[in-house]
Short mmCIF file of all heavy atoms in Angstrom, two decimals:
data_model
loop_
_atom_site.label_atom_id
_atom_site.label_comp_id
_atom_site.label_asym_id
_atom_site.label_seq_id
_atom_site.Cartn_x
_atom_site.Cartn_y
_atom_site.Cartn_z
N MET A 245 -179.22 33.03 2.38
CA MET A 245 -178.37 31.96 2.89
C MET A 245 -176.93 32.49 2.98
O MET A 245 -176.42 33.09 2.04
CB MET A 245 -178.44 30.76 1.95
CG MET A 245 -177.53 29.65 2.34
SD MET A 245 -177.85 28.19 1.34
CE MET A 245 -177.43 26.97 2.53
N PRO A 246 -176.27 32.23 4.10
CA PRO A 246 -174.89 32.72 4.25
C PRO A 246 -173.95 31.99 3.29
O PRO A 246 -174.17 30.85 2.92
CB PRO A 246 -174.53 32.39 5.69
CG PRO A 246 -175.59 31.49 6.21
CD PRO A 246 -176.75 31.54 5.28
N GLU A 247 -172.92 32.72 2.88
CA GLU A 247 -171.90 32.12 2.02
C GLU A 247 -171.02 31.20 2.86
O GLU A 247 -170.75 31.48 4.03
CB GLU A 247 -171.06 33.22 1.39
CG GLU A 247 -170.17 32.72 0.31
CD GLU A 247 -169.67 33.83 -0.60
OE1 GLU A 247 -170.14 34.98 -0.47
OE2 GLU A 247 -168.83 33.53 -1.43
N GLN A 248 -170.59 30.10 2.27
CA GLN A 248 -169.72 29.17 2.99
C GLN A 248 -168.38 29.06 2.28
O GLN A 248 -168.31 29.10 1.06
CB GLN A 248 -170.36 27.78 3.10
CG GLN A 248 -171.56 27.76 3.99
CD GLN A 248 -172.05 26.34 4.22
OE1 GLN A 248 -171.71 25.41 3.50
NE2 GLN A 248 -172.86 26.17 5.25
N TYR A 249 -167.34 28.95 3.08
CA TYR A 249 -165.98 28.79 2.57
C TYR A 249 -165.40 27.52 3.17
O TYR A 249 -165.62 27.22 4.33
CB TYR A 249 -165.10 29.97 2.98
CG TYR A 249 -165.53 31.28 2.39
CD1 TYR A 249 -166.40 32.11 3.07
CD2 TYR A 249 -165.05 31.70 1.15
CE1 TYR A 249 -166.81 33.32 2.53
CE2 TYR A 249 -165.44 32.90 0.60
CZ TYR A 249 -166.32 33.71 1.30
OH TYR A 249 -166.71 34.90 0.77
N ARG A 250 -164.64 26.78 2.36
CA ARG A 250 -163.93 25.62 2.86
C ARG A 250 -162.48 26.04 3.02
O ARG A 250 -161.82 26.40 2.06
CB ARG A 250 -164.07 24.45 1.90
CG ARG A 250 -165.51 23.93 1.83
CD ARG A 250 -165.64 22.84 0.82
NE ARG A 250 -166.25 21.58 1.12
CZ ARG A 250 -166.76 21.11 2.24
NH1 ARG A 250 -166.70 21.81 3.30
NH2 ARG A 250 -167.31 19.93 2.33
N LEU A 251 -162.00 25.97 4.26
CA LEU A 251 -160.68 26.49 4.59
C LEU A 251 -159.73 25.39 5.05
O LEU A 251 -160.10 24.56 5.88
CB LEU A 251 -160.80 27.53 5.70
CG LEU A 251 -161.78 28.68 5.46
CD1 LEU A 251 -161.88 29.53 6.70
CD2 LEU A 251 -161.32 29.51 4.28
N PRO A 252 -158.49 25.39 4.55
CA PRO A 252 -157.49 24.46 5.08
C PRO A 252 -157.07 24.94 6.46
O PRO A 252 -156.99 26.15 6.71
CB PRO A 252 -156.34 24.57 4.08
CG PRO A 252 -156.44 25.96 3.56
CD PRO A 252 -157.92 26.28 3.54
N TYR A 253 -156.84 24.02 7.35
CA TYR A 253 -156.41 24.40 8.69
C TYR A 253 -155.36 23.43 9.20
O TYR A 253 -155.21 22.32 8.68
CB TYR A 253 -157.59 24.47 9.66
CG TYR A 253 -158.23 23.14 9.94
CD1 TYR A 253 -157.78 22.32 10.97
CD2 TYR A 253 -159.30 22.68 9.18
CE1 TYR A 253 -158.36 21.09 11.22
CE2 TYR A 253 -159.89 21.46 9.43
CZ TYR A 253 -159.42 20.67 10.44
OH TYR A 253 -159.99 19.45 10.70
N THR A 254 -154.63 23.87 10.20
CA THR A 254 -153.68 23.01 10.89
C THR A 254 -153.98 23.08 12.38
O THR A 254 -154.49 24.09 12.88
CB THR A 254 -152.22 23.44 10.64
OG1 THR A 254 -152.05 24.77 11.11
CG2 THR A 254 -151.87 23.39 9.17
N VAL A 255 -153.66 22.01 13.07
CA VAL A 255 -153.80 21.97 14.52
C VAL A 255 -152.49 21.45 15.08
O VAL A 255 -151.98 20.42 14.63
CB VAL A 255 -154.95 21.04 14.98
CG1 VAL A 255 -155.02 20.97 16.49
CG2 VAL A 255 -156.28 21.52 14.41
N ARG A 256 -151.94 22.18 16.03
CA ARG A 256 -150.72 21.74 16.72
C ARG A 256 -151.07 21.39 18.14
O ARG A 256 -151.90 22.06 18.77
CB ARG A 256 -149.66 22.84 16.70
CG ARG A 256 -149.09 23.07 15.32
CD ARG A 256 -147.86 23.92 15.34
NE ARG A 256 -148.19 25.27 15.80
CZ ARG A 256 -147.31 26.16 16.18
NH1 ARG A 256 -146.02 25.88 16.18
NH2 ARG A 256 -147.66 27.36 16.57
N GLY A 257 -150.42 20.36 18.65
CA GLY A 257 -150.65 19.91 20.01
C GLY A 257 -150.05 20.86 21.03
O GLY A 257 -149.28 21.77 20.68
N PRO A 258 -150.40 20.65 22.28
CA PRO A 258 -149.88 21.51 23.35
C PRO A 258 -148.36 21.48 23.41
O PRO A 258 -147.73 20.44 23.20
CB PRO A 258 -150.47 20.88 24.61
CG PRO A 258 -151.65 20.09 24.15
CD PRO A 258 -151.30 19.62 22.78
N SER A 259 -147.80 22.65 23.69
CA SER A 259 -146.36 22.78 23.88
C SER A 259 -146.11 24.04 24.69
O SER A 259 -147.03 24.82 24.94
CB SER A 259 -145.64 22.88 22.53
OG SER A 259 -145.95 24.12 21.91
N THR A 260 -144.88 24.24 25.09
CA THR A 260 -144.57 25.46 25.83
C THR A 260 -144.78 26.68 24.93
O THR A 260 -145.16 27.74 25.41
CB THR A 260 -143.11 25.44 26.35
OG1 THR A 260 -142.23 25.21 25.25
CG2 THR A 260 -142.93 24.37 27.39
N GLU A 261 -144.58 26.50 23.63
CA GLU A 261 -144.78 27.58 22.66
C GLU A 261 -146.24 28.04 22.61
O GLU A 261 -146.53 29.20 22.33
CB GLU A 261 -144.36 27.07 21.28
CG GLU A 261 -143.97 28.11 20.30
CD GLU A 261 -143.44 27.47 19.03
OE1 GLU A 261 -144.26 27.05 18.20
OE2 GLU A 261 -142.21 27.37 18.90
N THR A 262 -147.18 27.12 22.85
CA THR A 262 -148.61 27.44 22.80
C THR A 262 -149.22 27.50 24.21
O THR A 262 -150.44 27.38 24.36
CB THR A 262 -149.39 26.41 21.96
OG1 THR A 262 -149.28 25.12 22.56
CG2 THR A 262 -148.90 26.38 20.53
N GLU A 263 -148.37 27.66 25.20
CA GLU A 263 -148.80 27.73 26.61
C GLU A 263 -149.63 26.50 27.00
O GLU A 263 -150.64 26.59 27.69
CB GLU A 263 -149.57 29.02 26.87
CG GLU A 263 -148.70 30.25 26.66
CD GLU A 263 -149.42 31.54 26.97
OE1 GLU A 263 -150.57 31.52 27.46
OE2 GLU A 263 -148.81 32.60 26.71
N ASP A 264 -149.19 25.32 26.51
CA ASP A 264 -149.81 24.03 26.79
C ASP A 264 -151.25 23.92 26.30
O ASP A 264 -152.05 23.18 26.86
CB ASP A 264 -149.69 23.68 28.28
CG ASP A 264 -148.25 23.49 28.69
OD1 ASP A 264 -147.47 22.93 27.89
OD2 ASP A 264 -147.88 23.91 29.81
N LEU A 265 -151.60 24.68 25.26
CA LEU A 265 -152.92 24.60 24.64
C LEU A 265 -152.76 24.12 23.20
O LEU A 265 -151.68 24.18 22.63
CB LEU A 265 -153.59 25.98 24.64
CG LEU A 265 -153.92 26.57 26.00
CD1 LEU A 265 -154.37 28.02 25.84
CD2 LEU A 265 -154.99 25.75 26.71
N TYR A 266 -153.85 23.64 22.62
CA TYR A 266 -153.86 23.30 21.20
C TYR A 266 -153.97 24.60 20.42
O TYR A 266 -154.68 25.52 20.83
CB TYR A 266 -155.05 22.40 20.87
CG TYR A 266 -154.86 20.98 21.33
CD1 TYR A 266 -155.15 20.60 22.64
CD2 TYR A 266 -154.39 20.00 20.46
CE1 TYR A 266 -154.98 19.31 23.07
CE2 TYR A 266 -154.21 18.69 20.87
CZ TYR A 266 -154.51 18.34 22.17
OH TYR A 266 -154.33 17.07 22.60
N LEU A 267 -153.29 24.65 19.30
CA LEU A 267 -153.34 25.83 18.43
C LEU A 267 -153.88 25.40 17.07
O LEU A 267 -153.35 24.49 16.44
CB LEU A 267 -151.94 26.42 18.25
CG LEU A 267 -151.79 27.49 17.17
CD1 LEU A 267 -152.62 28.72 17.50
CD2 LEU A 267 -150.33 27.86 16.98
N ALA A 268 -154.96 26.04 16.64
CA ALA A 268 -155.54 25.79 15.32
C ALA A 268 -155.41 27.08 14.52
O ALA A 268 -155.61 28.17 15.06
CB ALA A 268 -157.00 25.39 15.45
N GLU A 269 -155.05 26.95 13.24
CA GLU A 269 -154.93 28.15 12.41
C GLU A 269 -155.28 27.86 10.97
O GLU A 269 -155.21 26.72 10.51
CB GLU A 269 -153.55 28.77 12.53
CG GLU A 269 -152.41 27.91 12.12
CD GLU A 269 -151.06 28.56 12.42
OE1 GLU A 269 -150.95 29.80 12.36
OE2 GLU A 269 -150.12 27.82 12.71
N VAL A 270 -155.67 28.92 10.27
CA VAL A 270 -155.96 28.87 8.84
C VAL A 270 -154.81 29.60 8.16
O VAL A 270 -154.77 30.83 8.16
CB VAL A 270 -157.31 29.54 8.50
CG1 VAL A 270 -157.56 29.51 7.00
CG2 VAL A 270 -158.45 28.86 9.24
N PRO A 271 -153.85 28.87 7.60
CA PRO A 271 -152.64 29.50 7.04
C PRO A 271 -152.91 30.53 5.94
O PRO A 271 -152.14 31.47 5.80
CB PRO A 271 -151.84 28.33 6.49
CG PRO A 271 -152.35 27.13 7.20
CD PRO A 271 -153.79 27.41 7.51
N ILE A 272 -153.99 30.37 5.17
CA ILE A 272 -154.25 31.32 4.08
C ILE A 272 -154.89 32.62 4.56
O ILE A 272 -155.06 33.55 3.77
CB ILE A 272 -155.09 30.69 2.95
CG1 ILE A 272 -156.48 30.31 3.43
CG2 ILE A 272 -154.35 29.52 2.32
CD1 ILE A 272 -157.42 29.88 2.31
N LEU A 273 -155.27 32.70 5.83
CA LEU A 273 -155.81 33.93 6.41
C LEU A 273 -154.81 34.43 7.45
O LEU A 273 -154.75 33.90 8.57
CB LEU A 273 -157.18 33.69 7.05
CG LEU A 273 -158.28 33.15 6.14
CD1 LEU A 273 -159.57 32.93 6.93
CD2 LEU A 273 -158.52 34.07 4.96
N PRO A 274 -153.99 35.41 7.12
CA PRO A 274 -152.93 35.88 8.03
C PRO A 274 -153.44 36.22 9.43
O PRO A 274 -154.39 36.99 9.58
CB PRO A 274 -152.40 37.13 7.33
CG PRO A 274 -152.81 36.99 5.90
CD PRO A 274 -154.10 36.22 5.91
N GLY A 275 -152.83 35.59 10.42
CA GLY A 275 -153.18 35.86 11.81
C GLY A 275 -154.44 35.18 12.29
O GLY A 275 -154.87 35.40 13.43
N CYS A 276 -155.04 34.34 11.47
CA CYS A 276 -156.29 33.67 11.84
C CYS A 276 -155.96 32.39 12.61
O CYS A 276 -155.66 31.35 12.02
CB CYS A 276 -157.10 33.36 10.59
SG CYS A 276 -158.75 32.73 10.94
N ARG A 277 -155.98 32.50 13.95
CA ARG A 277 -155.64 31.35 14.80
C ARG A 277 -156.44 31.41 16.08
O ARG A 277 -156.93 32.47 16.49
CB ARG A 277 -154.15 31.30 15.05
CG ARG A 277 -153.57 32.52 15.70
CD ARG A 277 -152.06 32.43 15.91
NE ARG A 277 -151.35 32.23 14.67
CZ ARG A 277 -150.63 33.15 14.06
NH1 ARG A 277 -150.47 34.33 14.59
NH2 ARG A 277 -150.04 32.90 12.93
N ALA A 278 -156.55 30.25 16.72
CA ALA A 278 -157.30 30.15 17.98
C ALA A 278 -156.69 29.03 18.82
O ALA A 278 -156.06 28.11 18.30
CB ALA A 278 -158.77 29.86 17.70
N TRP A 279 -156.90 29.12 20.12
CA TRP A 279 -156.36 28.15 21.05
C TRP A 279 -157.49 27.49 21.82
O TRP A 279 -158.58 28.04 21.95
CB TRP A 279 -155.43 28.85 22.05
CG TRP A 279 -154.20 29.39 21.44
CD1 TRP A 279 -152.96 28.81 21.45
CD2 TRP A 279 -154.03 30.61 20.71
NE1 TRP A 279 -152.05 29.59 20.78
CE2 TRP A 279 -152.68 30.71 20.31
CE3 TRP A 279 -154.88 31.64 20.34
CZ2 TRP A 279 -152.18 31.76 19.58
CZ3 TRP A 279 -154.39 32.70 19.60
CH2 TRP A 279 -153.06 32.76 19.24
N GLY A 280 -157.21 26.30 22.35
CA GLY A 280 -158.20 25.60 23.17
C GLY A 280 -157.55 24.50 23.99
O GLY A 280 -156.43 24.07 23.70
N ALA A 281 -158.26 24.05 25.00
CA ALA A 281 -157.78 22.97 25.87
C ALA A 281 -157.74 21.63 25.12
O ALA A 281 -156.98 20.74 25.48
CB ALA A 281 -158.64 22.87 27.11
N THR A 282 -158.57 21.50 24.08
CA THR A 282 -158.59 20.31 23.24
C THR A 282 -158.52 20.76 21.78
O THR A 282 -158.79 21.93 21.47
CB THR A 282 -159.88 19.48 23.43
OG1 THR A 282 -160.99 20.28 22.98
CG2 THR A 282 -160.09 19.08 24.89
N ALA A 283 -158.21 19.83 20.89
CA ALA A 283 -158.19 20.16 19.46
C ALA A 283 -159.57 20.60 19.01
O ALA A 283 -159.71 21.56 18.24
CB ALA A 283 -157.70 18.97 18.65
N GLU A 284 -160.60 19.93 19.49
CA GLU A 284 -161.96 20.26 19.11
C GLU A 284 -162.34 21.67 19.56
O GLU A 284 -162.99 22.42 18.84
CB GLU A 284 -162.95 19.25 19.70
CG GLU A 284 -162.82 17.86 19.12
CD GLU A 284 -161.66 17.06 19.71
OE1 GLU A 284 -161.09 17.44 20.77
OE2 GLU A 284 -161.29 16.04 19.10
N GLU A 285 -161.92 22.04 20.77
CA GLU A 285 -162.22 23.39 21.28
C GLU A 285 -161.49 24.44 20.44
O GLU A 285 -162.07 25.48 20.10
CB GLU A 285 -161.80 23.50 22.74
CG GLU A 285 -162.12 24.85 23.37
CD GLU A 285 -161.72 24.91 24.83
OE1 GLU A 285 -162.06 23.98 25.59
OE2 GLU A 285 -161.04 25.89 25.19
N ALA A 286 -160.24 24.19 20.12
CA ALA A 286 -159.48 25.14 19.30
C ALA A 286 -160.14 25.31 17.93
O ALA A 286 -160.27 26.43 17.43
CB ALA A 286 -158.03 24.66 19.15
N LEU A 287 -160.60 24.21 17.32
CA LEU A 287 -161.27 24.29 16.02
C LEU A 287 -162.60 25.03 16.13
O LEU A 287 -162.97 25.80 15.24
CB LEU A 287 -161.49 22.90 15.45
CG LEU A 287 -160.26 22.25 14.85
CD1 LEU A 287 -160.54 20.79 14.49
CD2 LEU A 287 -159.79 23.02 13.63
N SER A 288 -163.31 24.80 17.21
CA SER A 288 -164.58 25.50 17.42
C SER A 288 -164.36 27.01 17.50
O SER A 288 -165.07 27.80 16.87
CB SER A 288 -165.25 24.99 18.69
OG SER A 288 -166.44 25.70 18.95
N HIS A 289 -163.33 27.41 18.24
CA HIS A 289 -162.99 28.84 18.34
C HIS A 289 -162.53 29.37 16.98
O HIS A 289 -162.86 30.51 16.60
CB HIS A 289 -161.89 29.08 19.37
CG HIS A 289 -162.29 28.80 20.78
ND1 HIS A 289 -163.44 29.29 21.35
CD2 HIS A 289 -161.68 28.08 21.75
CE1 HIS A 289 -163.52 28.88 22.61
NE2 HIS A 289 -162.46 28.14 22.87
N LEU A 290 -161.79 28.54 16.24
CA LEU A 290 -161.26 28.95 14.95
C LEU A 290 -162.37 29.26 13.96
O LEU A 290 -162.25 30.19 13.16
CB LEU A 290 -160.32 27.88 14.38
CG LEU A 290 -159.61 28.23 13.08
CD1 LEU A 290 -158.70 29.45 13.28
CD2 LEU A 290 -158.81 27.04 12.59
N GLU A 291 -163.46 28.52 14.01
CA GLU A 291 -164.59 28.79 13.12
C GLU A 291 -165.07 30.22 13.28
O GLU A 291 -165.31 30.92 12.29
CB GLU A 291 -165.72 27.81 13.38
CG GLU A 291 -165.45 26.41 12.89
CD GLU A 291 -166.61 25.47 13.15
OE1 GLU A 291 -167.78 25.90 13.09
OE2 GLU A 291 -166.34 24.30 13.45
N GLY A 292 -165.22 30.67 14.52
CA GLY A 292 -165.67 32.04 14.78
C GLY A 292 -164.65 33.07 14.35
O GLY A 292 -165.01 34.10 13.77
N VAL A 293 -163.39 32.80 14.61
CA VAL A 293 -162.33 33.72 14.23
C VAL A 293 -162.28 33.87 12.70
O VAL A 293 -162.18 34.97 12.17
CB VAL A 293 -160.96 33.26 14.78
CG1 VAL A 293 -159.82 34.09 14.23
CG2 VAL A 293 -160.97 33.31 16.31
N ALA A 294 -162.36 32.75 11.99
CA ALA A 294 -162.31 32.78 10.53
C ALA A 294 -163.53 33.51 9.96
O ALA A 294 -163.40 34.32 9.03
CB ALA A 294 -162.23 31.36 9.96
N ALA A 295 -164.69 33.26 10.53
CA ALA A 295 -165.90 33.95 10.07
C ALA A 295 -165.77 35.45 10.28
O ALA A 295 -166.13 36.25 9.40
CB ALA A 295 -167.13 33.40 10.80
N ASP A 296 -165.25 35.86 11.44
CA ASP A 296 -165.05 37.29 11.71
C ASP A 296 -164.03 37.91 10.76
O ASP A 296 -164.19 39.04 10.30
CB ASP A 296 -164.61 37.51 13.16
CG ASP A 296 -165.72 37.25 14.17
OD1 ASP A 296 -166.90 37.14 13.76
OD2 ASP A 296 -165.40 37.14 15.37
N PHE A 297 -162.96 37.17 10.47
CA PHE A 297 -161.92 37.64 9.54
C PHE A 297 -162.53 37.92 8.16
O PHE A 297 -162.34 38.99 7.58
CB PHE A 297 -160.82 36.59 9.44
CG PHE A 297 -159.65 37.00 8.58
CD1 PHE A 297 -158.47 37.42 9.15
CD2 PHE A 297 -159.72 36.94 7.19
CE1 PHE A 297 -157.37 37.78 8.37
CE2 PHE A 297 -158.64 37.31 6.40
CZ PHE A 297 -157.47 37.74 7.00
N ILE A 298 -163.28 36.95 7.65
CA ILE A 298 -163.89 37.08 6.33
C ILE A 298 -164.92 38.21 6.31
O ILE A 298 -164.95 39.04 5.40
CB ILE A 298 -164.51 35.74 5.88
CG1 ILE A 298 -163.39 34.71 5.66
CG2 ILE A 298 -165.35 35.92 4.62
CD1 ILE A 298 -163.87 33.28 5.51
N ALA A 299 -165.76 38.27 7.35
CA ALA A 299 -166.77 39.32 7.42
C ALA A 299 -166.13 40.70 7.47
O ALA A 299 -166.61 41.65 6.85
CB ALA A 299 -167.67 39.10 8.64
N SER A 300 -165.02 40.83 8.20
CA SER A 300 -164.32 42.11 8.28
C SER A 300 -163.76 42.51 6.92
O SER A 300 -163.86 43.68 6.52
CB SER A 300 -163.18 42.02 9.31
OG SER A 300 -162.45 43.22 9.35
N CYS A 301 -163.17 41.56 6.20
CA CYS A 301 -162.67 41.85 4.85
C CYS A 301 -163.80 42.35 3.96
O CYS A 301 -163.66 43.35 3.25
CB CYS A 301 -162.04 40.61 4.23
SG CYS A 301 -160.41 40.20 4.88
N GLU A 302 -164.92 41.65 3.99
CA GLU A 302 -166.05 42.02 3.15
C GLU A 302 -166.61 43.38 3.56
O GLU A 302 -166.94 44.21 2.70
CB GLU A 302 -167.12 40.94 3.22
CG GLU A 302 -166.69 39.65 2.54
CD GLU A 302 -167.66 38.49 2.72
OE1 GLU A 302 -168.55 38.57 3.59
OE2 GLU A 302 -167.51 37.50 1.98
N ALA A 303 -166.70 43.66 4.85
CA ALA A 303 -167.25 44.93 5.33
C ALA A 303 -166.38 46.12 4.95
O ALA A 303 -166.88 47.22 4.73
CB ALA A 303 -167.43 44.87 6.84
N HIS A 304 -165.07 45.89 4.88
CA HIS A 304 -164.14 46.98 4.58
C HIS A 304 -163.72 47.02 3.11
O HIS A 304 -162.87 47.83 2.72
CB HIS A 304 -162.89 46.87 5.47
CG HIS A 304 -163.19 47.12 6.91
ND1 HIS A 304 -163.48 46.11 7.80
CD2 HIS A 304 -163.28 48.28 7.60
CE1 HIS A 304 -163.72 46.63 8.98
NE2 HIS A 304 -163.61 47.94 8.90
N GLY A 305 -164.28 46.13 2.31
CA GLY A 305 -163.95 46.10 0.89
C GLY A 305 -162.57 45.54 0.59
O GLY A 305 -162.04 45.76 -0.50
N ASP A 306 -161.99 44.83 1.55
CA ASP A 306 -160.68 44.22 1.33
C ASP A 306 -160.85 42.91 0.56
O ASP A 306 -161.81 42.18 0.77
CB ASP A 306 -159.99 43.91 2.67
CG ASP A 306 -159.71 45.16 3.49
OD1 ASP A 306 -159.52 46.23 2.89
OD2 ASP A 306 -159.70 45.06 4.73
N GLU A 307 -159.91 42.64 -0.32
CA GLU A 307 -159.96 41.40 -1.08
C GLU A 307 -159.60 40.23 -0.18
O GLU A 307 -158.70 40.33 0.66
CB GLU A 307 -158.99 41.44 -2.26
CG GLU A 307 -159.45 42.33 -3.38
CD GLU A 307 -158.59 42.17 -4.61
OE1 GLU A 307 -158.11 41.05 -4.89
OE2 GLU A 307 -158.39 43.19 -5.28
N LEU A 308 -160.30 39.13 -0.38
CA LEU A 308 -159.97 37.90 0.33
C LEU A 308 -158.80 37.25 -0.39
O LEU A 308 -158.63 37.42 -1.60
CB LEU A 308 -161.17 36.96 0.36
CG LEU A 308 -162.36 37.45 1.18
CD1 LEU A 308 -163.57 36.56 0.93
CD2 LEU A 308 -162.01 37.47 2.65
N PRO A 309 -157.97 36.49 0.33
CA PRO A 309 -156.85 35.81 -0.32
C PRO A 309 -157.33 34.94 -1.48
O PRO A 309 -158.37 34.27 -1.39
CB PRO A 309 -156.26 34.94 0.79
CG PRO A 309 -156.67 35.64 2.06
CD PRO A 309 -158.02 36.23 1.77
N ALA A 310 -156.60 34.95 -2.59
CA ALA A 310 -156.97 34.19 -3.78
C ALA A 310 -157.08 32.70 -3.48
O ALA A 310 -157.91 32.01 -4.06
CB ALA A 310 -155.95 34.43 -4.89
N ALA A 311 -156.27 32.21 -2.56
CA ALA A 311 -156.29 30.78 -2.22
C ALA A 311 -157.60 30.36 -1.58
O ALA A 311 -157.92 29.18 -1.52
CB ALA A 311 -155.12 30.45 -1.28
N LEU A 312 -158.37 31.31 -1.11
CA LEU A 312 -159.63 31.00 -0.44
C LEU A 312 -160.58 30.25 -1.37
O LEU A 312 -161.29 29.34 -0.94
CB LEU A 312 -160.28 32.30 0.04
CG LEU A 312 -161.42 32.19 1.02
CD1 LEU A 312 -160.95 31.50 2.30
CD2 LEU A 312 -161.94 33.56 1.36
N ALA A 313 -160.60 30.59 -2.63
CA ALA A 313 -161.51 29.98 -3.58
C ALA A 313 -161.25 28.48 -3.77
O ALA A 313 -162.18 27.71 -3.94
CB ALA A 313 -161.43 30.68 -4.92
N GLY A 314 -160.01 28.05 -3.69
CA GLY A 314 -159.69 26.66 -3.94
C GLY A 314 -159.41 25.86 -2.68
O GLY A 314 -158.95 24.74 -2.75
N ALA A 315 -159.67 26.43 -1.53
CA ALA A 315 -159.35 25.77 -0.27
C ALA A 315 -160.39 24.70 0.07
O ALA A 315 -161.48 24.69 -0.47
CB ALA A 315 -159.28 26.82 0.84
N GLY A 316 -160.08 23.85 1.03
CA GLY A 316 -161.04 22.84 1.47
C GLY A 316 -160.71 22.25 2.82
O GLY A 316 -159.59 21.85 3.03
N GLU A 317 -161.61 22.27 3.73
CA GLU A 317 -161.56 21.58 5.03
C GLU A 317 -162.60 22.17 5.99
O GLU A 317 -163.68 21.68 6.08
CB GLU A 317 -160.18 21.59 5.70
CG GLU A 317 -159.11 20.77 5.02
CD GLU A 317 -159.47 19.35 4.73
OE1 GLU A 317 -160.15 18.69 5.53
OE2 GLU A 317 -159.06 18.85 3.68
N LEU A 318 -162.23 23.23 6.70
CA LEU A 318 -163.09 23.83 7.71
C LEU A 318 -164.19 24.63 7.02
O LEU A 318 -163.90 25.51 6.22
CB LEU A 318 -162.26 24.75 8.62
CG LEU A 318 -162.96 25.45 9.76
CD1 LEU A 318 -163.39 24.45 10.81
CD2 LEU A 318 -162.02 26.47 10.37
N VAL A 319 -165.47 24.35 7.32
CA VAL A 319 -166.57 25.06 6.69
C VAL A 319 -167.01 26.18 7.62
O VAL A 319 -167.34 25.94 8.78
CB VAL A 319 -167.75 24.12 6.38
CG1 VAL A 319 -168.91 24.91 5.79
CG2 VAL A 319 -167.31 23.02 5.44
N VAL A 320 -166.99 27.41 7.11
CA VAL A 320 -167.34 28.59 7.90
C VAL A 320 -168.46 29.33 7.19
O VAL A 320 -168.35 29.64 6.01
CB VAL A 320 -166.11 29.53 8.03
CG1 VAL A 320 -166.49 30.81 8.72
CG2 VAL A 320 -164.99 28.84 8.78
N ALA A 321 -169.56 29.58 7.89
CA ALA A 321 -170.66 30.37 7.33
C ALA A 321 -170.51 31.81 7.78
O ALA A 321 -170.26 32.08 8.94
CB ALA A 321 -171.99 29.79 7.79
N VAL A 322 -170.66 32.73 6.84
CA VAL A 322 -170.54 34.15 7.14
C VAL A 322 -171.86 34.83 6.83
O VAL A 322 -172.49 34.58 5.85
CB VAL A 322 -169.41 34.78 6.31
CG1 VAL A 322 -169.32 36.27 6.58
CG2 VAL A 322 -168.09 34.12 6.61
#
């Protein structure tokens, strides 16, 4: 069974800064962000990005951020 993590995330609405797209990100995973035409689409993309981030850390023996253990919101299976 894949390991699951509960991750805090933020979603920002469209703006010129985000090229009129929604931006979703996981603040405790540096650079882990995704964009979409809707908030739901951005979150859907974010799930894959977060899973890839965690899998890459595990594959390379890098430590995951300590805050990951106590986080809660977005569920990502790796």
Side-chain angles (χ1 to χ4, degrees):
M245 176 172 211
E247 191 162 352
Q248 292 188 343
Y249 296 92
R250 293 177 129 358
L251 306 174
Y253 67 88
T254 60
V255 178
R256 290 193 295 166
S259 69
T260 54
E261 203 174 82
T262 62
E263 297 182 6
D264 295 322
L265 295 171
Y266 285 84
L267 169 64
E269 60 186 328
V270 178
I272 64 171
L273 301 179
C276 188
R277 58 181 59 107
W279 293 261
T282 65
E284 293 79 15
E285 182 179 311
L287 283 172
S288 177
H289 293 311
L290 185 62
E291 287 181 35
V293 172
D296 289 347
F297 184 103
I298 293 167
S300 177
C301 284
E302 291 173 346
H304 293 93
D306 297 331
E307 287 190 35
L308 293 170
L312 194 60
E317 292 308 322
L318 181 68
V319 177
V320 174
V322 178

